Amino acid sequence: MDNKMTRQTPNAGKAPKLRGMVAAFLAGTMMTGGLMLASDKMNLFTPVREMAAATEAAAASAGTATPAAAQAGVETAAVSLGANGGISDIVEQSKPAVVKIETKIKAGNSANSRFSDPRYRQFFGSQGETDELQDGGMGTGFIFEKSGYILTNEHVIEGAEEIWVTVEGYDKPLKATLLGNSYDLDLAVLKIEGDKDFPYLPLGDPDQVKVGDWLVAIGNPYGYDQTVTVGVLSAKERPISIQGDQGTREYKHLLQTDTSINPGNSGGPLLNMNGEVIGINTAVNAEAQGMGFAIPTSTIASVLENLKNNVAIPKEPVPYLGVALEDVSDEWASDLKLSDKTGAVITQIVPKSPAFAAGIRTYDVITAVNGHKVANAEELSAKIKELAVGDQITLTTVRDGKTSDVAVTIGNKNAE
């Protein structure tokens, strides 16, 4: 069930006020609650070439890490910084393996371009598109094997025709090959070729890091290469939802940190005090201070071989009703002749969805799940997400002033 779907106004022509939304220009998407991906998509914040020239002139070489034994299938750096290693030591050791990722896209093919809108093309054709490539976006990644395997976020390279990687010690960016990616998990693995072994970072265990422990992030925010920020682990197991070009990404098990994460940080490493990567910096809440999110390496480890070998990653079952919801406002209560504002209004329903099959229709109001009242759309969404695919539940609904119970079988949003 998704309470962030596009609204459908009543047939009577009344349109309740839209709830506030934050336009996040970083990834050309619209998101609620201020959550946005932390890549500099489409360079709306950074003139990449000009900034790159300035930062490259100021960059200093920090050397390379010496390869050591493999750990959990991933080669690790030879130098163990230890629990007492200083932050400056971690930075010096880690920086050479952190890379800047820049993409090239077809002109007129940007996510926020009107030419990408099929409705525009229907009337005006594809006149905005050419074979010419232009700067796309910029983000961060890190090398995790000496042979040149790189981890980053999928949204950093999404829609790219070409991917270029800036590596310390090389005069020019290296062209990367996309090996595998997952939109849902927001992960991608790239491969670069060089004339020597690359420095790389070990993957650590986020379960060994406690809330309150110090963390280090390295990335390229706003084009300022190799920027280091420090903070603490604020929380674990955070779920967030961010709307993207191909649908809503439902992130799970995220690490929350107050380490500063800004546009261009996406795909960069979040390091523990041993210099190990415990997460990939991914998103930030633009309406808050010090609220960033990272995908934990526990999630990455389970799919890493699939990504390296371009093997499809099975999607997790997602409980699903197939409706869009809105809180009961004064206007809704008046239009639907409701006695109070308890529950959630169904503003859109997907044909053949579990809710539709059960007889639920647009403008029904759901007031309870299995006899437990729900105050608003958020509460109802939370209750549905707690259920399992295949569960049979009872929804209490109000239609035309009459209350009734409807039996519904929870579906799988990811079912083909």
Side-chain angles (χ1 to χ4, degrees), residues 29-75:
T29 62
M30 188 72 77
M31 287 156 271
T32 60
L35 291 169
M36 60 187 185
L37 305 175
S39 66
D40 189 353
K41 201 77 168 178
M42 307 317 304
N43 304 313
L44 295 179
F45 290 90
T46 310
V48 174
R49 295 302 171 195
E50 295 177 12
M51 189 65 74
T55 53
E56 286 171 5
S61 175
T64 59
T66 304
Q71 177 178 336
V74 178
E75 292 187 299

Side-chain angles (χ1 to χ4, degrees), residues 163-230:
I163 303 170
W164 294 89
V165 176
T166 299
V167 183
E168 187 172 296
Y170 285 81
D171 295 333
K172 297 180 179 180
L174 305 176
K175 191 173 184 178
T177 300
L178 174 61
L179 298 183
N181 61 295
S182 169
Y183 179 87
D184 294 323
L185 295 178
D186 199 7
L187 294 172
V189 168
L190 313 177
K191 182 71 166 63
I192 54 175
E193 303 293 338
D195 55 9
K196 55 188 175 183
D197 288 347
F198 292 99
Y200 57 98
L201 294 176
L203 299 185
D205 183 0
D207 292 337
Q208 300 303 312
V209 181
K210 299 178 181 179
V211 173
D213 282 354
W214 287 101
L215 302 175
V216 178
I218 305 176
N220 305 295
Y222 297 103
Y224 289 98
D225 297 358
Q226 301 283 302
T227 294
V228 177
T229 55
V230 178

Side-chain angles (χ1 to χ4, degrees), residues 56 137 203 259 340 367:
E56 286 171 5
L203 299 185
T259 307
D340 57 42
T367 59

Side-chain angles (χ1 to χ4, degrees), residues 113-331:
S113 170
R114 63 182 178 177
F115 297 110
S116 63
D117 188 335
R119 293 168 297 182
Y120 185 93
R121 294 184 184 186
Q122 179 181 353
F123 293 100
F124 299 100
S126 301
Q127 55 184 296
E129 293 187 22
T130 69
D131 292 331
E132 181 182 354
L133 297 182
Q134 64 182 23
D135 290 339
M138 181 182 64
T140 305
F142 64 91
I143 303 169
F144 65 94
E145 288 188 14
K146 66 180 181 180
S147 54
Y149 287 95
I150 296 171
L151 268 166
T152 188
N153 286 128
E154 194 275 343
H155 72 259
V156 171
I157 53 85
E158 185 178 9
E161 295 289 330
E162 293 181 0
I163 303 170
W164 294 89
V165 176
T166 299
V167 183
E168 187 172 296
Y170 285 81
D171 295 333
K172 297 180 179 180
L174 305 176
K175 191 173 184 178
T177 300
L178 174 61
L179 298 183
N181 61 295
S182 169
Y183 179 87
D184 294 323
L185 295 178
D186 199 7
L187 294 172
V189 168
L190 313 177
K191 182 71 166 63
I192 54 175
E193 303 293 338
D195 55 9
K196 55 188 175 183
D197 288 347
F198 292 99
Y200 57 98
L201 294 176
L203 299 185
D205 183 0
D207 292 337
Q208 300 303 312
V209 181
K210 299 178 181 179
V211 173
D213 282 354
W214 287 101
L215 302 175
V216 178
I218 305 176
N220 305 295
Y222 297 103
Y224 289 98
D225 297 358
Q226 301 283 302
T227 294
V228 177
T229 55
V230 178
V232 299
L233 180 61
S234 304
K236 296 182 177 182
E237 296 294 327
R238 294 298 201 205
I240 63 173
S241 300
I242 299 182
Q243 181 65 36
D245 293 337
Q246 301 177 41
T248 302
R249 284 188 173 101
E250 299 284 354
Y251 296 91
K252 299 179 180 179
H253 315 301
L254 295 185
L255 305 175
Q256 180 185 332
T257 178
D258 69 348
T259 307
S260 294
I261 297 174
N262 293 293
N265 270 116
S266 271
L270 186 64
L271 303 161
N272 62 17
M273 293 304 289
N274 291 323
E276 301 167 327
V277 180
I278 62 162
I280 292 182
N281 299 317
T282 300
V284 62
N285 191 324
E287 294 181 350
Q289 290 186 349
M291 189 175 289
F293 299 93
I295 299 171
T297 48
S298 52
T299 297
I300 298 166
S302 64
V303 298
L304 190 54
E305 289 304 314
N306 292 55
L307 292 171
K308 287 173 61 177
N309 296 291
N310 196 25
V311 176
I313 299 171
K315 295 184 178 182
E316 292 186 9
V318 175
Y320 172 68
L321 276 184
V323 297
L325 301 171
E326 190 168 313
D327 292 343
V328 180
S329 62
D330 290 334
E331 192 171 0

